[in-house]
Amino acid sequence: MRRYTSLLLTSFLLLLVVVAGSAYLAGAGHDEQQRPRQEITVYTTLPAEHVTILTAAYEKQHGVRVNFVPLPAEKLLNRLQEQAYSGKDGEAAMVLADRETLAKAAAAGYLVPYLSEAGDQVQEDFREENGYWVGVWYDPIVFCVNKDYLKTQAHIPDTWQDLAKQKKVRIGVTDFLAADASANLLISMIAQFGDAAAYDIWRQLHPKVVQYARYLSTPVRQAGMGEVDIAVAVESETIRYMQDGYPLQVVYPADGTAAIVTGTGMAYRAEPKAQRAAKEFADWLLGDDAQLALQERSFYFVPTNPGTLAYKMFAGKNLVLFNQPASYTAQQKHDFLDRWVKEVRFK
Protein backbone atom coordinates (compact mmCIF):
# COMPACT_ATOMS: atom_id res chain seq x y z
CA MET A 1 0.00 0.00 0.00
CA ARG A 2 2.84 2.35 0.88
CA ARG A 3 4.45 1.55 -2.46
CA TYR A 4 1.31 2.60 -4.36
CA THR A 5 0.99 5.74 -2.24
CA SER A 6 4.58 6.70 -3.06
CA LEU A 7 3.97 6.11 -6.76
CA LEU A 8 0.80 8.21 -6.72
CA LEU A 9 2.57 11.01 -4.88
CA THR A 10 5.49 10.90 -7.30
CA SER A 11 3.12 10.98 -10.30
CA PHE A 12 1.20 13.91 -8.81
CA LEU A 13 4.40 15.88 -8.27
CA LEU A 14 5.56 15.16 -11.81
CA LEU A 15 2.19 16.33 -13.12
CA LEU A 16 2.53 19.59 -11.17
CA VAL A 17 6.00 20.13 -12.63
CA VAL A 18 4.74 19.54 -16.18
CA VAL A 19 1.76 21.88 -15.74
CA ALA A 20 3.86 24.59 -14.14
CA GLY A 21 6.51 24.27 -16.83
CA SER A 22 3.95 24.44 -19.61
CA ALA A 23 2.36 27.54 -18.08
CA TYR A 24 5.76 29.20 -17.76
CA LEU A 25 6.72 28.42 -21.33
CA ALA A 26 3.35 29.58 -22.61
CA GLY A 27 3.73 32.83 -20.66
CA ALA A 28 7.27 33.28 -21.86
CA GLY A 29 6.15 32.72 -25.42
CA HIS A 30 3.37 35.23 -24.98
CA ASP A 31 5.76 37.80 -23.50
CA GLU A 32 8.17 37.20 -26.34
CA GLN A 33 5.35 37.70 -28.82
CA GLN A 34 4.32 40.97 -27.17
CA ARG A 35 7.85 42.26 -26.72
CA PRO A 36 9.12 44.37 -29.67
CA ARG A 37 11.92 42.82 -31.67
CA GLN A 38 13.93 46.00 -31.19
CA GLU A 39 13.77 49.44 -29.64
CA ILE A 40 15.26 52.68 -30.89
CA THR A 41 15.51 56.08 -29.23
CA VAL A 42 14.62 59.22 -31.16
CA TYR A 43 15.11 62.79 -29.93
CA THR A 44 12.29 65.06 -31.11
CA THR A 45 10.91 68.59 -30.93
CA LEU A 46 7.42 67.40 -31.92
CA PRO A 47 4.42 67.51 -29.56
CA ALA A 48 3.81 64.36 -27.52
CA GLU A 49 0.44 63.76 -29.20
CA HIS A 50 2.10 63.45 -32.61
CA VAL A 51 4.86 61.08 -31.60
CA THR A 52 2.49 58.87 -29.60
CA ILE A 53 0.53 58.22 -32.79
CA LEU A 54 3.66 57.47 -34.80
CA THR A 55 5.27 55.08 -32.34
CA ALA A 56 2.02 53.11 -31.86
CA ALA A 57 1.48 52.73 -35.61
CA TYR A 58 5.09 51.76 -36.34
CA GLU A 59 5.31 49.21 -33.55
CA LYS A 60 2.04 47.63 -34.69
CA GLN A 61 3.25 47.34 -38.29
CA HIS A 62 6.94 46.50 -37.79
CA GLY A 63 7.34 45.24 -34.24
CA VAL A 64 9.91 47.91 -33.44
CA ARG A 65 9.31 50.26 -30.53
CA VAL A 66 10.31 53.87 -31.05
CA ASN A 67 11.11 55.57 -27.76
CA PHE A 68 10.65 59.28 -28.42
CA VAL A 69 12.36 61.76 -26.11
CA PRO A 70 10.62 65.16 -26.52
CA LEU A 71 13.08 68.01 -25.97
CA PRO A 72 13.27 71.76 -26.61
CA ALA A 73 15.58 72.52 -29.53
CA GLU A 74 18.45 73.79 -27.36
CA LYS A 75 18.40 70.77 -25.05
CA LEU A 76 18.16 68.43 -28.02
CA LEU A 77 21.29 69.93 -29.53
CA ASN A 78 23.08 69.66 -26.18
CA ARG A 79 22.18 65.97 -25.94
CA LEU A 80 23.49 65.35 -29.45
CA GLN A 81 26.70 67.21 -28.61
CA GLU A 82 27.25 65.05 -25.53
CA GLN A 83 26.71 61.91 -27.60
CA ALA A 84 29.00 63.08 -30.41
CA TYR A 85 31.90 63.70 -28.03
CA SER A 86 31.30 60.82 -25.64
CA GLY A 87 33.71 58.49 -27.41
CA LYS A 88 31.19 55.62 -27.42
CA ASP A 89 27.85 54.68 -28.91
CA GLY A 90 25.11 56.87 -27.51
CA GLU A 91 21.42 56.65 -26.67
CA ALA A 92 19.85 58.39 -29.66
CA ALA A 93 19.73 56.77 -33.08
CA MET A 94 17.72 59.45 -34.86
CA VAL A 95 16.31 62.97 -34.63
CA LEU A 96 12.80 63.99 -35.73
CA ALA A 97 12.66 67.76 -35.52
CA ASP A 98 12.04 71.06 -37.27
CA ARG A 99 14.32 72.03 -40.16
CA GLU A 100 16.13 74.77 -38.23
CA THR A 101 17.17 72.38 -35.45
CA LEU A 102 18.26 69.75 -37.96
CA ALA A 103 20.32 72.29 -39.89
CA LYS A 104 22.11 73.37 -36.72
CA ALA A 105 22.79 69.75 -35.74
CA ALA A 106 24.17 68.98 -39.19
CA ALA A 107 26.40 72.07 -39.22
CA ALA A 108 27.80 71.14 -35.80
CA GLY A 109 28.66 67.59 -36.89
CA TYR A 110 26.06 65.84 -34.73
CA LEU A 111 24.45 63.97 -37.65
CA VAL A 112 25.62 61.45 -40.25
CA PRO A 113 24.38 61.46 -43.86
CA TYR A 114 21.69 59.06 -45.05
CA LEU A 115 19.76 59.23 -48.31
CA SER A 116 17.47 56.41 -49.39
CA GLU A 117 15.40 55.86 -52.52
CA ALA A 118 12.42 57.43 -50.77
CA GLY A 119 14.47 60.37 -49.54
CA ASP A 120 15.95 60.91 -52.99
CA GLN A 121 12.46 61.72 -54.32
CA VAL A 122 12.08 64.65 -51.93
CA GLN A 123 12.55 68.08 -53.52
CA GLU A 124 15.91 69.70 -52.90
CA ASP A 125 14.23 72.53 -50.98
CA PHE A 126 13.21 70.03 -48.31
CA ARG A 127 16.50 68.20 -47.75
CA GLU A 128 20.16 68.84 -47.09
CA GLU A 129 22.12 68.26 -50.28
CA ASN A 130 24.53 65.77 -48.72
CA GLY A 131 21.83 63.78 -46.93
CA TYR A 132 22.39 65.04 -43.39
CA TRP A 133 18.66 65.62 -42.99
CA VAL A 134 15.52 65.01 -45.03
CA GLY A 135 12.14 66.69 -44.62
CA VAL A 136 9.19 64.32 -44.22
CA TRP A 137 6.28 66.80 -44.08
CA TYR A 138 5.51 70.49 -43.65
CA ASP A 139 2.70 72.72 -42.40
CA PRO A 140 2.24 76.00 -44.33
CA ILE A 141 0.50 79.20 -43.29
CA VAL A 142 -2.62 79.87 -45.40
CA PHE A 143 -5.57 82.24 -45.63
CA CYS A 144 -8.49 80.41 -44.04
CA VAL A 145 -11.62 82.09 -45.45
CA ASN A 146 -15.18 81.85 -44.13
CA LYS A 147 -17.42 80.67 -47.02
CA ASP A 148 -20.24 83.07 -46.15
CA TYR A 149 -17.78 85.97 -46.39
CA LEU A 150 -16.50 84.49 -49.64
CA LYS A 151 -19.98 84.80 -51.18
CA THR A 152 -20.10 88.54 -50.48
CA GLN A 153 -16.80 89.36 -52.18
CA ALA A 154 -16.05 89.77 -55.88
CA HIS A 155 -12.37 89.30 -55.14
CA ILE A 156 -10.74 87.41 -52.30
CA PRO A 157 -7.21 88.57 -51.40
CA ASP A 158 -4.61 86.05 -52.48
CA THR A 159 -1.41 87.91 -51.63
CA TRP A 160 -0.12 89.47 -48.42
CA GLN A 161 -0.35 92.94 -49.95
CA ASP A 162 -3.94 92.29 -51.06
CA LEU A 163 -4.86 91.14 -47.57
CA ALA A 164 -3.27 94.23 -46.02
CA LYS A 165 -5.25 96.52 -48.37
CA GLN A 166 -8.57 94.65 -48.03
CA LYS A 167 -11.24 96.92 -46.60
CA LYS A 168 -13.89 96.00 -44.04
CA VAL A 169 -12.42 92.62 -43.21
CA ARG A 170 -12.09 90.96 -39.82
CA ILE A 171 -8.87 89.00 -39.40
CA GLY A 172 -7.83 86.34 -36.92
CA VAL A 173 -4.20 85.45 -36.23
CA THR A 174 -2.15 83.73 -33.55
CA ASP A 175 0.08 86.05 -31.54
CA PHE A 176 3.66 85.88 -32.78
CA LEU A 177 4.84 85.47 -29.19
CA ALA A 178 2.49 82.53 -28.52
CA ALA A 179 3.51 79.87 -31.07
CA ASP A 180 6.63 78.98 -33.06
CA ALA A 181 4.68 78.58 -36.32
CA SER A 182 3.26 82.09 -35.95
CA ALA A 183 6.62 83.64 -35.04
CA ASN A 184 8.16 81.82 -38.00
CA LEU A 185 5.70 83.64 -40.29
CA LEU A 186 6.92 87.09 -39.24
CA ILE A 187 10.60 86.11 -39.40
CA SER A 188 10.12 84.48 -42.82
CA MET A 189 8.28 87.53 -44.17
CA ILE A 190 11.17 89.73 -43.05
CA ALA A 191 13.62 87.45 -44.86
CA GLN A 192 11.46 87.38 -48.00
CA PHE A 193 10.20 90.97 -48.27
CA GLY A 194 12.68 92.88 -46.12
CA ASP A 195 11.94 94.27 -42.68
CA ALA A 196 10.43 97.57 -43.87
CA ALA A 197 7.89 95.89 -46.16
CA ALA A 198 7.06 93.13 -43.67
CA TYR A 199 6.34 95.55 -40.83
CA ASP A 200 4.34 97.75 -43.18
CA ILE A 201 2.08 94.81 -44.06
CA TRP A 202 1.43 94.09 -40.40
CA ARG A 203 0.84 97.76 -39.58
CA GLN A 204 -1.95 97.71 -42.15
CA LEU A 205 -3.31 94.40 -40.88
CA HIS A 206 -3.23 95.31 -37.19
CA PRO A 207 -6.42 97.49 -37.09
CA LYS A 208 -8.35 94.63 -38.76
CA VAL A 209 -7.19 91.94 -36.32
CA VAL A 210 -10.08 90.97 -34.05
CA GLN A 211 -7.88 89.05 -31.65
CA TYR A 212 -4.27 87.92 -31.33
CA ALA A 213 -4.98 84.36 -30.21
CA ARG A 214 -2.85 82.19 -27.95
CA TYR A 215 -3.37 78.95 -29.86
CA LEU A 216 -2.96 77.99 -33.52
CA SER A 217 -6.47 76.54 -33.65
CA THR A 218 -8.28 79.63 -32.36
CA PRO A 219 -8.21 81.77 -35.56
CA VAL A 220 -9.51 78.79 -37.56
CA ARG A 221 -12.37 78.22 -35.13
CA GLN A 222 -13.19 81.94 -35.29
CA ALA A 223 -13.35 81.83 -39.09
CA GLY A 224 -15.49 78.70 -38.98
CA MET A 225 -17.92 80.33 -36.54
CA GLY A 226 -18.09 83.59 -38.53
CA GLU A 227 -16.36 85.60 -35.79
CA VAL A 228 -13.68 86.63 -38.30
CA ASP A 229 -13.76 86.68 -42.10
CA ILE A 230 -10.23 85.48 -42.78
CA ALA A 231 -7.82 83.67 -40.49
CA VAL A 232 -4.06 83.63 -41.02
CA ALA A 233 -3.54 80.06 -39.91
CA VAL A 234 -1.62 76.81 -40.28
CA GLU A 235 -3.13 74.54 -42.92
CA SER A 236 -3.25 71.48 -40.65
CA GLU A 237 -5.73 73.16 -38.30
CA THR A 238 -7.72 74.55 -41.23
CA ILE A 239 -8.17 71.11 -42.80
CA ARG A 240 -9.07 69.60 -39.43
CA TYR A 241 -11.93 72.06 -39.01
CA MET A 242 -13.01 71.56 -42.62
CA GLN A 243 -13.17 67.81 -42.01
CA ASP A 244 -15.44 68.55 -39.07
CA GLY A 245 -17.85 70.39 -41.34
CA TYR A 246 -16.95 74.03 -40.75
CA PRO A 247 -17.65 76.33 -43.77
CA LEU A 248 -14.09 77.21 -44.67
CA GLN A 249 -11.97 77.49 -47.79
CA VAL A 250 -8.19 77.53 -48.12
CA VAL A 251 -6.51 80.28 -50.14
CA TYR A 252 -2.76 79.91 -50.74
CA PRO A 253 -0.88 83.24 -50.84
CA ALA A 254 0.32 83.66 -54.42
CA ASP A 255 3.36 85.65 -53.33
CA GLY A 256 4.51 82.85 -51.03
CA THR A 257 4.14 81.80 -47.45
CA ALA A 258 6.04 80.34 -44.52
CA ALA A 259 5.97 76.73 -43.35
CA ILE A 260 7.31 74.64 -40.51
CA VAL A 261 9.22 71.73 -42.06
CA THR A 262 9.68 68.54 -40.02
CA GLY A 263 12.45 66.13 -40.95
CA THR A 264 14.74 63.33 -39.88
CA GLY A 265 18.47 63.04 -39.28
CA MET A 266 20.69 60.14 -38.16
CA ALA A 267 22.51 60.78 -34.91
CA TYR A 268 26.31 60.58 -34.83
CA ARG A 269 27.72 57.72 -32.72
CA ALA A 270 24.51 55.72 -32.67
CA GLU A 271 24.77 51.98 -32.02
CA PRO A 272 25.05 50.31 -35.49
CA LYS A 273 22.04 48.01 -35.05
CA ALA A 274 19.87 50.87 -33.80
CA GLN A 275 21.07 53.07 -36.66
CA ARG A 276 19.93 50.48 -39.22
CA ALA A 277 16.52 50.33 -37.55
CA ALA A 278 16.35 54.14 -37.46
CA LYS A 279 16.93 54.32 -41.22
CA GLU A 280 14.01 51.96 -41.78
CA PHE A 281 11.85 54.15 -39.54
CA ALA A 282 12.96 57.27 -41.43
CA ASP A 283 11.88 55.69 -44.71
CA TRP A 284 8.53 54.73 -43.14
CA LEU A 285 7.95 58.35 -42.17
CA LEU A 286 8.30 59.29 -45.85
CA GLY A 287 5.52 56.89 -46.86
CA ASP A 288 1.74 56.82 -46.80
CA ASP A 289 1.44 54.71 -43.64
CA ALA A 290 2.79 57.51 -41.43
CA GLN A 291 0.48 60.08 -43.02
CA LEU A 292 -2.51 57.75 -42.69
CA ALA A 293 -1.78 57.19 -39.00
CA LEU A 294 -1.68 60.96 -38.40
CA GLN A 295 -4.75 61.69 -40.50
CA GLU A 296 -6.78 59.07 -38.67
CA ARG A 297 -6.23 61.21 -35.58
CA SER A 298 -7.02 64.48 -37.41
CA PHE A 299 -3.48 65.71 -38.05
CA TYR A 300 -3.06 66.83 -41.66
CA PHE A 301 0.40 67.73 -42.93
CA VAL A 302 1.77 68.10 -46.44
CA PRO A 303 4.13 65.20 -47.28
CA THR A 304 7.42 66.03 -48.98
CA ASN A 305 7.59 62.74 -50.90
CA PRO A 306 5.81 63.25 -54.26
CA GLY A 307 5.61 59.49 -54.75
CA THR A 308 3.03 59.05 -51.98
CA LEU A 309 -0.72 58.88 -52.43
CA ALA A 310 -1.09 61.50 -49.70
CA TYR A 311 0.93 63.98 -51.76
CA LYS A 312 -1.02 63.24 -54.95
CA MET A 313 -4.27 63.93 -53.07
CA PHE A 314 -2.93 67.24 -51.72
CA ALA A 315 -5.02 70.07 -53.17
CA GLY A 316 -2.41 72.84 -53.02
CA LYS A 317 -0.19 71.79 -55.90
CA ASN A 318 0.50 75.46 -56.69
CA LEU A 319 1.49 76.34 -53.14
CA VAL A 320 4.40 78.78 -53.19
CA LEU A 321 6.77 78.84 -50.23
CA PHE A 322 9.13 81.69 -49.42
CA ASN A 323 12.52 80.99 -50.99
CA GLN A 324 14.71 83.25 -48.87
CA PRO A 325 16.24 81.46 -45.85
CA ALA A 326 15.55 83.10 -42.50
CA SER A 327 19.15 82.73 -41.35
CA TYR A 328 19.00 84.86 -38.25
CA THR A 329 20.49 84.39 -34.82
CA ALA A 330 18.30 83.87 -31.78
CA GLN A 331 19.05 87.43 -30.71
CA GLN A 332 18.07 88.85 -34.09
CA LYS A 333 14.78 86.96 -34.00
CA HIS A 334 14.14 88.26 -30.50
CA ASP A 335 14.80 91.80 -31.70
CA PHE A 336 12.42 91.39 -34.67
CA LEU A 337 9.63 90.17 -32.39
CA ASP A 338 10.34 92.93 -29.87
CA ARG A 339 10.14 95.51 -32.64
CA TRP A 340 6.77 94.07 -33.77
CA VAL A 341 5.46 94.35 -30.20
CA LYS A 342 6.55 97.98 -29.88
CA GLU A 343 5.77 99.26 -33.38
CA VAL A 344 2.67 97.23 -34.23
CA ARG A 345 1.08 95.17 -31.49
CA PHE A 346 0.88 97.79 -28.74
CA LYS A 347 1.34 101.04 -30.61
Side-chain angles (χ1 to χ4, degrees):
M1 186 67 179
R2 290 179 180 177
R3 183 178 62 181
Y4 291 120
T5 301
S6 299
L7 287 172
L8 287 171
L9 182 60
T10 301
S11 299
F12 180 70
L13 291 173
L14 287 173
L15 180 62
L16 284 178
V17 171
V18 170
V19 171
S22 298
Y24 173 79
L25 291 174
H30 180 73
D31 291 342
E32 185 64 29
Q33 186 178 8
Q34 295 298 317
R35 188 181 299 117
R37 294 194 300 268
Q38 188 173 356
E39 297 186 11
I40 56 174
T41 297
V42 177
Y43 292 162
T44 185
T45 57
L46 267 61
E49 54 189 345
H50 293 174
V51 297
T52 298
I53 295 168
L54 295 172
T55 190
Y58 192 68
E59 183 174 342
K60 182 178 180 180
Q61 293 178 22
H62 295 271
V64 176
R65 177 169 296 162
V66 182
N67 296 318
F68 280 103
V69 181
L71 296 166
E74 186 175 349
K75 288 187 177 181
L76 187 151
L77 292 170
N78 289 339
R79 290 275 193 97
L80 289 176
Q81 181 183 39
E82 292 172 4
Q83 178 165 314
Y85 292 102
S86 66
K88 58 183 180 180
D89 294 340
E91 175 190 38
M94 195 181 93
V95 179
L96 179 63
D98 59 276
R99 172 166 55 185
E100 184 176 358
T101 301
L102 289 167
K104 289 180 179 178
Y110 305 154
L111 303 177
V112 295
Y114 170 65
L115 187 61
S116 65
E117 183 178 351
D120 194 43
Q121 298 183 63
V122 175
Q123 296 179 26
E124 292 182 359
D125 292 344
F126 296 120
R127 58 184 169 92
E128 200 278 330
E129 60 180 351
N130 296 311
Y132 282 93
W133 61 266
V134 176
V136 291
W137 64 70
Y138 61 98
D139 196 7
I141 298 289
V142 301
F143 299 161
C144 169
V145 185
N146 177 276
K147 284 189 174 181
D148 291 332
Y149 173 76
L150 189 66
K151 295 174 184 177
T152 67
Q153 302 297 309
H155 171 73
I156 292 297
D158 64 352
T159 70
W160 292 100
Q161 288 288 355
D162 283 350
L163 183 63
K165 294 175 182 177
Q166 186 80 352
K167 297 179 179 179
K168 296 181 180 180
V169 61
R170 299 170 300 165
I171 295 175
V173 65
T174 302
D175 195 316
F176 294 148
L177 301 181
D180 289 342
S182 193
N184 181 61
L185 171 62
L186 176 64
I187 302 303
S188 298
M189 289 179 72
I190 290 171
Q192 186 73 19
F193 302 134
D195 59 340
Y199 285 116
D200 184 57
I201 288 172
W202 284 102
R203 286 190 191 96
Q204 294 179 67
L205 289 174
H206 175 69
K208 306 164 188 176
V209 174
V210 173
Q211 176 187 357
Y212 288 99
R214 295 184 62 185
Y215 302 100
L216 292 172
S217 61
T218 302
V220 182
R221 181 195 61 77
Q222 290 176 317
M225 297 294 290
E227 296 169 3
V228 301
D229 303 314
I230 300 176
V232 177
V234 291
E235 186 182 44
S236 60
E237 286 294 335
T238 303
I239 295 177
R240 182 166 72 88
Y241 273 80
M242 291 171 65
Q243 291 291 330
D244 288 339
Y246 285 77
L248 299 169
Q249 180 168 318
V250 174
V251 174
Y252 297 103
D255 51 349
T257 192
I260 294 292
V261 179
T262 297
T264 60
M266 298 299 130
Y268 182 59
R269 287 198 182 281
E271 193 270 326
K273 184 178 179 181
Q275 190 176 74
R276 289 191 295 271
K279 291 176 180 178
E280 293 176 359
F281 180 55
D283 287 344
W284 181 82
L285 288 171
L286 282 165
D288 279 311
D289 287 341
Q291 290 297 321
L292 180 60
L294 289 166
Q295 290 177 13
E296 285 177 345
R297 300 291 293 276
S298 299
F299 293 107
Y300 302 93
F301 303 116
V302 185
T304 59
N305 182 358
T308 61
L309 181 61
Y311 179 86
K312 293 172 183 176
M313 293 178 65
F314 170 54
K317 293 295 191 300
N318 296 322
L319 170 65
V320 177
L321 295 178
F322 292 145
N323 56 18
Q324 295 300 315
S327 304
Y328 301 112
T329 65
Q331 184 60 50
Q332 286 175 315
K333 291 179 180 180
H334 176 273
D335 292 343
F336 285 139
L337 291 168
D338 188 58
R339 179 180 171 186
W340 171 77
V341 170
K342 294 176 179 177
E343 296 185 9
V344 179
R345 179 76 163 85
F346 293 116
K347 187 171 181 180

